[in-house]
Amino acid sequence: NIAYSLTLNDLFGTKPILLYYSEYGKNHQIKKYHLNQIRRAFEDKTGVCFDYSLMLAYLCKSFGIKSKIIYGLTKTDIKNYDGEPVLKKHTWNAVFLEEKWELMDPTWATGYFDLNRGKFIKEYMEHFFFTQPSDLIKTHFPSDSDWQLIKDPIDLSAFFSAPLFFPAYFEGQVKLSSETKGILALSEENESLLIFDRPLKRSKIYYRIHGEQQLRKMKFKKENNTYISKIKFRKN
């Protein structure tokens, strides 16, 4: 019903001013503001992540399902994190079903924003509904670490330095080891190691080095319970 649309007002718009004289008045004003947000998104047929999350939360409330809007960051590139402050630039949802919390991102589930074409591309992605916490943490970092919903929460530095994963990765059989970082380092032999816990059965994994047209096939060597592939680089 709606498409993602990011405007300058969404980036730099001021926060609403709510006037209230009691806790009841505060909650009433917030509810009124949220309903206006939802109504505006439906009328304009556009919205941002907060609008998507608001709609899902409102639907859950209407059906008596407990839910929560999660604030945090998403990753679209790999970088070293130097401790600089980062905006909470994204929202997604947690929904309590069958005695446990489930994670979902209704915005990313509906498509993606193509920077080259400057438009939102509608493409339904089932992966972002009821996503396994161990998978969602690869792309989504909540401001409250409790909402990672994993046994050993990671920090922001580990989040940004990890590899960049796309939805198709989670649909396949391959599983990259947590030992493999997103930022690669060369050995003295001008090679880098990629470690997999589970490669494709026929090892049909290819790679391309930036600046080259040729696709190279990965070769694996099994060591203990992992599979190691060496990627060679020219000295220049």
Side-chain angles (χ1 to χ4, degrees):
N1 292 293
I2 67 173
Y4 186 87
S5 177
L6 187 63
T7 65
L8 288 178
N9 186 58
D10 295 318
L11 286 172
F12 304 109
T14 56
K15 291 183 178 180
I17 298 175
L18 304 179
L19 300 176
Y20 55 89
Y21 302 97
S22 65
E23 192 66 24
Y24 172 82
K26 173 185 174 181
N27 293 331
H28 177 74
Q29 289 291 332
I30 292 174
K31 181 180 179 181
K32 182 179 178 181
Y33 168 69
H34 286 171
L35 287 174
N36 284 336
Q37 281 280 106
I38 292 173
R39 191 176 297 112
R40 180 199 57 77
F42 264 109
E43 289 175 354
D44 296 345
K45 296 191 181 300
T46 61
V48 292
C49 56
F50 186 57
D51 299 308
Y52 282 77
S53 293
L54 272 179
M55 291 178 187
L56 182 55
Y58 187 77
L59 285 169
C60 287
K61 185 177 180 181
S62 300
F63 285 100
I65 299 172
K66 186 163 65 172
S67 72
K68 183 175 177 61
I69 295 177
I70 309 297
Y71 297 85
L73 300 163
T74 53
K75 184 173 66 173
T76 54
D77 61 359
I78 299 170
K79 66 177 182 179
N80 280 310
Y81 176 69
D82 298 321
E84 73 274 13
V86 182
L87 295 174
K88 299 173 186 176
K89 62 176 183 177
H90 192 59
T91 62
W92 56 98
N93 298 66
V95 176
F96 195 71
L97 292 171
E98 297 183 353
E99 302 303 314
K100 71 172 184 174
W101 285 101
E102 298 281 1
L103 297 171
M104 53 189 73
D105 186 340
T107 309
W108 280 34
T110 59
Y112 61 94
F113 194 83
D114 189 325
L115 291 175
N116 294 324
R117 297 163 64 182
K119 62 184 293 187
F120 183 76
I121 308 300
K122 287 187 176 181
E123 182 181 328
Y124 177 65
M125 286 181 268
E126 183 74 25
H127 168 71
F128 292 109
F129 281 111
F130 287 26
T131 315
Q132 291 294 324
S134 58
D135 287 343
L136 195 66
I137 193 58
K138 289 178 170 60
T139 54
H140 292 59
F141 187 88
S143 58
D144 183 346
S145 61
D146 287 346
W147 288 107
Q148 292 185 27
L149 299 184
I150 56 179
K151 183 179 179 181
D152 299 310
I154 66 172
D155 60 21
L156 204 53
S157 178
F159 174 73
F160 276 121
S161 65
L164 188 62
F165 294 90
F166 294 89
Y169 168 83
F170 304 102
E171 298 171 4
Q173 299 171 327
V174 66
K175 186 178 180 183
L176 191 67
S177 170
S178 59
E179 294 183 46
T180 298
K181 304 302 179 185
I183 300 170
L184 302 178
L186 289 177
S187 68
E188 293 181 357
E189 291 79 25
N190 291 309
E191 63 185 19
S192 182
L193 299 182
L194 292 181
I195 304 174
F196 293 79
D197 289 335
R198 187 173 68 241
L200 291 174
K201 290 182 179 179
R202 295 183 181 177
S203 301
K204 288 186 177 180
I205 301 179
Y206 298 86
Y207 66 95
R208 183 170 58 207
I209 297 172
H210 184 68
E212 296 183 354
Q213 296 298 319
Q214 177 188 0
L215 277 176
R216 306 183 188 185
K217 185 177 180 181
M218 283 189 177
K219 297 180 180 179
F220 292 96
K221 180 181 179 181
K222 187 174 181 180
E223 291 188 9
N224 299 321
N225 293 320
T226 62
Y227 299 80
I228 298 176
S229 181
K230 292 182 179 181
I231 291 183
K232 293 275 189 177
F233 294 87
R234 292 195 303 267
K235 288 186 177 181
N236 59 354

